Amino acid sequence: MDQKYMPEKIEPAWQKKWEDDTLFNVTEDSTKEKFYLLEMFPYPSGKIHMGHVRNYSIGDVVARFLRMRGLNVLHPMGWDAFGMPAENAAISRGVHPAKWTKENIDAMRAQLKRMGFSYDWNREVSTCEPEYYRWEQLVFLKMFEKGLAYKKTSSVNWCASCQTVLANEQVEAGKCWRCHQEVSSRELDQWFFRITAYAEELLDFCKKLPGWPERVLTMQKNWIGKSHGVEVDFPLKGRDDAIRVFTTRQDTLFGATFMSLAPEHPLALELAAGMPQEEAVRTFIEKTRKQDKIIRSSEDLEKEGVFTGAYCRNPLTGWDMPIYIANFVLMEYGTGAVMAVPTHDQRDFEFARKYDLPLVVVIQPEDTALDAETLEAAYTEDGVLVNSGSFNGLPNRQAMEKIADFLEEKKIGNRTVQYRLRDWGISRQRYWGAPIPIIYCEDCGPVPVPEADLPVTLPLDLQLGEGGQSPLPKSADFLNVSCPRCGKPAVRETDTMDTFVESSWYYMRYASARYEKGLFDPEAVAYWLPVDQYIGGIEHAILHLLYSRFYTKVLRDLGFIAFDEPFTNLLTQGMVIKDGAKMSKSKGNVVDPNYLIEKYGADTARLFSLFAAPPERDLDWNDQGVEGSFRFLNRIWRLVTENLEVLKNGPSPVNQDTPSQALHRKTHQTIQKVTEDIKRYHFNTAISMIMELANETYAILPLREETTGAFQEAVRAMLRLLSPFVPHITDELWYQMGGTTCLINESWPAFDSSATKVEEITLVIQVNGKLRDRLSLPVDVTEQAATEAAQASEKVKRYLEGKTVRKVIYVPGKLVNIVAG
RNA sequence: GCGAGGGUGGCGGAACUGGUAGACGCACUGGAUUUAGGAUCCAGCGGGAUGACCGUAGGGGUUCGAGUCCCCUCUCUCGCACCA
């Protein structure tokens, strides 16, 4: 009696066999073409979710497919194991972060294995292990040496609920990216990575990453925010020095009527000193500095300022310009000083109206004169220069160049570029992270930990504080050391590194995960890296992907590696949606992969997540759709098990009868289509083509002597084509049919182009572009014969009645269009 | 506001360089089988007054022919947003 399809029985058995046979473990092999396929590693939260199932199913199809095509495929998995949820669990449940993390990793590893993903587990990496982060500390020291890691006091983003600092990239619309609480600002002594030193290269290589989605490159480009402009000196009245401003609108220079300084500008207080305004200026500066950073940089903040009492001179007009302190001017961008052109900048306009400052129109539309008195908003469009001395009459775009030339000639200013990108703040006032390998000595200042003393191990015997504060500053054992330079008592840095540092290089570690002599074995890295295909969520478009690109360039410049970009091709998969919303606990629309595996098996979970939508789009989860995928696998199961005797024999040659030839053709068309579709990551259409093949294979039943060969061929191809998607059921059926090798070690089926050829084609006949008939004609029909056949058609004749044929369009193999009127 | 990407049956989605719109699946309808339910199998399934018509957000254009190319409008999603 045939056995029912019971995934819960066969799947674990195959997973065990794969593991026992170390089927997925790879080594460097210079005789084979390598392919490094990587999916973003997960944070070990304890359970996989549908996003993981989808991400890793996509990756596994590609990995298994390329393996079958003969490539040496590196497909590793690991854990982004540092981070706050571990600390939160420690606080709420009293478990140590290390224990919590380890248990979660064990649970998730088991789940991933239960999904049947083809990872080389020998290369598993967990970033919270000293064997991993010690190399990150080494890189930190090298960066420190080169000035790429440095410390400065600055106003930083502070998340009160997470009790730590956030990088600019980790603040989303004023809220913490992780806990979504309001972010405020604090003055803190922080470590930074000098990512701005690579701004130009990070931007430039956007053009050199053709394998990345346009969307991601655009987001990175916007984030880096390069703008071209000029720096201009405005001489201070009564002093020898000048205020330097950055502007992208040098064409409006003649309209600059006052100056705005950031409250943090070094000259702010100095200029007001001794003036009647001094007290007002001091109060204003204090007030603004106390103000929340995010509120301060939001557009709807009322523009406010205060006059310093000082003046500078417009270098082109010679006018005296009052100098104001303005709350909307940011010290971190440009020079912290802005020349104010109220007629052509909306912010300056509002400011000028409020404080009754002069307005001068210098650009206006070609045919309309603007009146500064009655202007209701700044005119920011293009136009022609007026009130601008010798530049009058020039279109402003041209004037930009001319004025820039003029400024450079007169040595008043220089063309320059500015970036929006800021340096990456990596200090975190957290416990569960990689310690920053620095020691503070009263005499020597910050001293790097000697390389020989690495790693600086995170002590595991500490208890977390009540409010989530790091226990490191209170741990005498950790804290107290002697200065490596002078030997005097000193203390360790107690901040840990942002976890994005770990994820910036884990993909290199996989190349030689157990290597003990350095970050990685240079030969292994030279063989495997860069990653050929990276797959992950779009939410990392800026954060992780920009940091990784930066870190790669740093490692290159430190001499560790020879490539420029870490990920040659990037695929960003869409979210998993249910009932119109992203799956989330708060929405209550979460589907647990465990439940799916129990009810339908891993193969169904994989199949549905690949079939329901193309990878880049959001996937709408539908329980009935899952049933459909399960049903399909049952169909495949029965197709094989009910014809096992026939399938065990053979394969015998395909007969020449019509049904056999039709199935034979469909088999080879399917091989061709599925191969092409997997190559371009159109898994949903690949699967639907296999479904069609299954339908046609069923249609040939019941088997007769002469159709056996075609049937055997179709089934054997079908199982191999399906195996990257649903590896368990296909291996099971393959072995039942007498196979002795797992399908991942079989070769991918080749298609016979002569088999896909047809003798007859359906030619579409149109009259004036409208479909009127379909004719079955030989493939090699001549244009003349096709045209004649078309005009002979009864259906077509009716439409031609009373009309003259003016033209006939013939597209070989497709259609005949008769133009008549 | 700026930038990017989308709008195709009841639903998820197909359609390579312009050439049969709606593959495949879900849901639904009818039938077979069954004591019944489920499962399975067969058939149908864009709309419509069911032979000549209309249909890919709406409007215009190019073309023998447009979901696909061009222009305008609407709409949704995402990213950035006082960056001088």
Side-chain angles (χ1 to χ4, degrees):
Chain A
M1 190 56 227
D2 299 324
Q3 180 117 63
K4 233 180 97 189
Y5 171 45
M6 289 192 285
E8 69 280 10
K9 270 209 178 136
I10 62 167
E11 289 181 352
W14 284 102
Q15 284 151 11
K16 183 167 185 309
K17 178 170 168 59
W18 297 337
E19 194 161 348
D20 290 348
D21 294 355
T22 62
L23 222 54
F24 309 135
N25 298 354
V26 289
T27 49
E28 294 88 82
D29 178 351
S30 56
T31 64
K32 274 186 173 171
E33 189 185 342
K34 71 95 182 179
F35 194 95
Y36 187 175
L37 174 75
L38 183 68
E39 300 115 44
M40 290 180 183
F41 69 166
Y43 176 80
S45 59
K47 278 187 189 183
I48 61 169
H49 54 66
M50 273 310 159
H52 294 129
V53 168
R54 186 179 192 198
N55 189 178
Y56 301 151
S57 294
I58 292 167
D60 208 44
V61 172
V62 179
R64 288 175 180 267
F65 170 72
L66 293 175
R67 266 286 293 273
M68 292 176 78
R69 307 258 300 172
L71 272 70
N72 195 21
V73 180
L74 174 59
H75 189 211
M77 183 42 73
W79 314 98
D80 190 10
F82 272 135
M84 276 187 354
E87 295 186 31
N88 296 341
I91 295 157
S92 62
R93 270 174 272 170
V95 204
H96 193 278
K99 185 166 182 267
W100 186 83
T101 304
K102 193 187 171 304
E103 286 170 359
N104 284 351
I105 289 175
D106 289 342
M108 285 177 80
R109 189 193 301 108
Q111 274 189 297
L112 293 182
K113 285 188 176 176
R114 184 60 188 83
M115 283 299 296
F117 297 133
S118 62
Y119 299 123
D120 178 353
W121 285 105
N122 277 350
R123 296 167 184 270
E124 182 178 354
V125 160
S126 177
T127 60
C128 66
E129 300 298 334
E131 292 74 35
Y132 182 81
Y133 64 71
R134 64 172 298 172
W135 304 116
E136 191 169 307
Q137 291 174 336
L138 177 73
V139 173
F140 182 94
L141 296 178
K142 305 263 184 211
M143 289 175 75
F144 179 71
E145 237 168 69
K146 288 230 169 189
L148 288 169
Y150 67 96
K151 199 170 195 195
K152 73 171 178 196
T153 307
S154 72
S155 167
V156 293
N157 309 299
W158 178 261
C159 175
S161 114
C162 298
Q163 285 281 308
T164 192
V165 157
L166 301 172
N168 289 326
E169 288 85 345
Q170 293 159 2
V171 180
E172 296 169 347
K175 307 239 162 88
C176 171
W177 72 289
R178 188 148 247 170
C179 70
H180 304 289
Q181 298 298 304
E182 288 282 342
V183 171
S184 57
S185 70
R186 267 202 183 183
E187 291 281 322
L188 279 176
D189 225 16
Q190 298 287 305
W191 286 97
F192 287 85
F193 281 168
R194 208 177 292 280
I195 191 170
T196 51
Y198 287 85
E200 196 53 42
E201 199 192 336
L202 287 168
L203 199 59
D204 185 42
F205 269 86
C206 282
K207 281 182 240 143
K208 296 177 188 169
L209 287 171
W212 281 40
E214 192 63 39
R215 210 147 76 96
V216 174
L217 294 179
T218 308
M219 279 160 76
Q220 293 209 350
K221 208 182 293 167
N222 290 343
W223 187 263
I224 297 167
K226 181 180 183 176
S227 28
H228 296 264
V230 292
E231 282 189 348
V232 191
D233 282 335
F234 286 65
L236 282 159
K237 215 182 157 190
R239 297 170 51 135
D240 295 335
D241 50 347
I243 293 179
R244 172 161 293 197
V245 305
F246 171 75
T247 180
T248 55
R249 293 299 308 272
Q250 61 273 17
D251 53 328
T252 64
L253 237 162
F254 284 85
T257 52
F258 61 99
M259 176 68 68
S260 306
L261 298 186
E264 296 86 354
H265 197 283
L267 283 174
L269 265 174
E270 197 183 319
L271 290 175
M275 301 278 182
Q277 292 86 347
E278 183 172 357
E279 205 36 52
V281 168
R282 190 181 301 280
T283 317
F284 181 78
I285 290 175
E286 269 164 31
K287 185 185 130 197
T288 354
R289 293 186 83 161
K290 250 187 261 162
Q291 218 166 29
D292 195 279
K293 209 180 175 186
I294 302 306
I295 296 176
R296 225 187 103 189
S297 59
S298 79
E299 205 170 349
D300 23 86
L301 176 76
E302 163 120 36
K303 282 148 196 59
E304 283 187 318
V306 61
F307 179 44
T308 57
Y311 291 84
C312 62
R313 190 165 43 86
N314 183 318
L316 293 193
T317 60
W319 296 330
D320 285 344
M321 298 164 58
I323 302 170
Y324 277 73
I325 312 294
N327 62 347
F328 62 88
V329 180
L330 308 171
M331 193 58 219
E332 304 90 77
Y333 187 78
T335 60
V338 182
M339 68 171 204
V341 185
T343 41
H344 305 295
D345 181 289
Q346 189 56 27
R347 293 156 299 176
D348 298 341
F349 179 83
E350 289 169 34
F351 197 85
R353 282 282 190 254
K354 180 162 181 172
Y355 297 103
D356 207 18
L357 292 156
L359 284 79
V360 179
V361 171
V362 290
I363 293 174
Q364 57 188 22
E366 221 159 319
D367 45 359
T368 335
L370 296 178
D371 182 1
E373 296 289 311
T374 57
L375 214 55
E376 281 177 11
Y379 178 77
T380 53
E381 309 287 302
D382 284 339
V384 177
L385 265 68
V386 289
N387 297 322
S388 299
S390 59
F391 301 98
N392 280 345
L394 278 178
N396 70 307
R397 297 275 164 186
Q398 278 178 37
M400 272 186 186
E401 296 308 317
K402 291 263 155 87
I403 292 179
D405 289 342
F406 180 80
L407 292 169
E408 287 183 337
E409 230 164 81
K410 299 279 174 198
K411 306 231 184 301
I412 310 168
N414 291 303
R415 281 188 170 86
T416 176
V417 287
Q418 281 291 328
Y419 301 94
R420 215 188 70 112
L421 183 71
R422 310 282 148 81
D423 278 339
W424 174 14
I426 57 127
S427 295
R428 295 292 178 272
Q429 292 66 46
R430 306 298 312 185
Y431 162 64
W432 194 235
I436 295 172
I438 291 288
I439 289 165
Y440 296 102
C441 168
E442 250 175 56
D443 294 347
C444 311
V447 181
V449 171
E451 281 182 27
D453 295 349
L454 292 182
V456 177
T457 314
L458 186 70
L460 297 181
D461 55 352
L462 303 183
Q463 214 57 44
L464 261 82
E466 267 295 293
Q469 285 96 344
S470 168
L472 291 176
K474 286 179 224 139
S475 165
D477 283 353
F478 178 77
L479 199 61
N480 298 319
V481 283
S482 49
C483 171
R485 201 163 285 167
C486 68
K488 276 196 188 164
V491 291
R492 284 191 192 282
E493 167 69 65
T494 56
D495 282 353
T496 52
M497 282 191 253
D498 183 359
T499 56
F500 277 103
V501 181
E502 281 93 68
S503 56
S504 290
W505 70 285
Y506 74 103
Y507 48 89
M508 299 188 201
R509 184 68 185 166
Y510 282 140
S512 51
R514 307 273 93 81
Y515 193 67
E516 288 177 2
K517 286 177 269 178
L519 281 89
F520 40 68
D521 177 349
E523 280 181 28
V525 162
Y527 179 78
W528 290 115
L529 273 285
V531 173
D532 295 283
Q533 178 67 60
Y534 198 30
I535 308 173
I538 186 81
E539 64 272 20
H540 292 109
I542 302 173
L543 295 168
H544 163 57
L545 291 170
L546 190 66
Y547 294 150
S548 296
R549 294 183 60 216
F550 160 66
Y551 210 80
T552 299
K553 292 169 198 308
V554 169
L555 290 184
R556 177 200 61 197
D557 291 347
L558 291 172
F560 286 106
I561 51 172
F563 53 94
D564 299 310
E565 291 286 343
F567 314 120
T568 309
N569 294 290
L570 175 69
L571 177 72
T572 49
Q573 108 259 10
M575 289 186 300
V576 182
I577 303 282
K578 191 166 188 278
D579 310 324
K582 184 181 176 177
M583 280 192 186
S584 73
K585 268 187 227 149
S586 57
K587 291 259 166 37
N589 59 353
V590 177
V591 178
D592 181 6
N594 262 347
Y595 161 80
L596 266 185
I597 293 170
E598 273 168 36
K599 189 163 177 193
Y600 302 103
D603 280 341
T604 297
R606 296 168 59 121
L607 187 67
F608 180 71
S609 67
L610 294 162
F611 178 63
E616 306 216 60
R617 275 214 235 175
D618 286 347
L619 185 154
D620 202 336
W621 196 267
N622 176 330
D623 293 335
Q624 284 165 329
V626 180
E627 290 275 358
S629 293
F630 184 61
R631 207 144 53 207
F632 171 67
L633 292 182
N634 273 287
R635 243 166 102 72
I636 296 292
W637 180 267
R638 288 194 308 269
L639 185 66
V640 176
T641 54
E642 287 170 8
N643 297 283
L644 212 50
E645 289 316 310
V646 173
L647 290 165
K648 271 181 183 162
N649 302 321
S652 40
V654 178
N655 205 287
Q656 290 303 314
D657 63 295
T658 313
S660 287
Q661 284 300 308
L663 185 58
H664 177 57
R665 186 182 314 120
K666 186 71 183 180
T667 300
H668 285 270
Q669 286 171 338
T670 305
I671 294 170
Q672 182 178 17
K673 167 96 172 137
V674 171
T675 307
E676 282 165 7
D677 280 354
I678 295 182
K679 279 187 193 164
R680 48 183 196 141
Y681 299 164
H682 287 204
F683 308 121
N684 55 335
T685 50
I687 293 166
S688 63
M689 189 66 179
I690 302 174
M691 286 173 168
E692 285 185 45
L693 177 61
N695 291 343
E696 294 207 14
T697 309
Y698 261 100
I700 211 170
L701 297 176
L703 279 182
R704 290 175 290 123
E705 180 75 38
E706 58 271 28
T707 51
T708 307
F711 179 78
Q712 287 166 333
E713 184 193 44
V715 172
R716 293 175 71 87
M718 205 184 306
L719 290 184
R720 280 181 292 165
L721 294 177
L722 268 175
S723 69
F725 304 96
V726 285
H728 309 89
I729 186 176
T730 46
D731 266 357
E732 171 68 26
L733 294 174
W734 189 251
Y735 270 70
Q736 285 196 26
M737 276 165 52
T740 52
T741 322
C742 289
L743 285 165
I744 197 170
N745 282 337
E746 290 282 339
S747 58
W748 187 252
F751 81 93
D752 175 359
S753 55
S754 67
T756 58
K757 285 203 187 108
V758 282
E759 317 77 63
E760 294 252 300
I761 44 146
T762 306
L763 206 62
V764 168
I765 314 300
Q766 298 180 334
V767 175
N768 292 332
K770 292 207 161 134
L771 174 74
R772 296 306 180 195
D773 199 6
R774 294 183 169 114
L775 297 179
S776 197
L777 295 168
V779 220
D780 53 355
V781 68
T782 60
E783 172 163 3
Q784 202 191 351
T787 310
E788 277 164 16
Q791 296 195 40
S793 152
E794 283 305 319
K795 289 180 192 165
V796 170
K797 273 187 189 163
R798 255 180 286 161
Y799 290 93
L800 293 177
E801 220 154 281
K803 290 177 182 165
T804 326
V805 174
R806 301 193 188 277
K807 198 170 164 189
V808 177
I809 313 259
Y810 174 65
V811 183
K814 295 263 180 182
L815 57 72
V816 175
N817 186 14
I818 302 168
V819 186

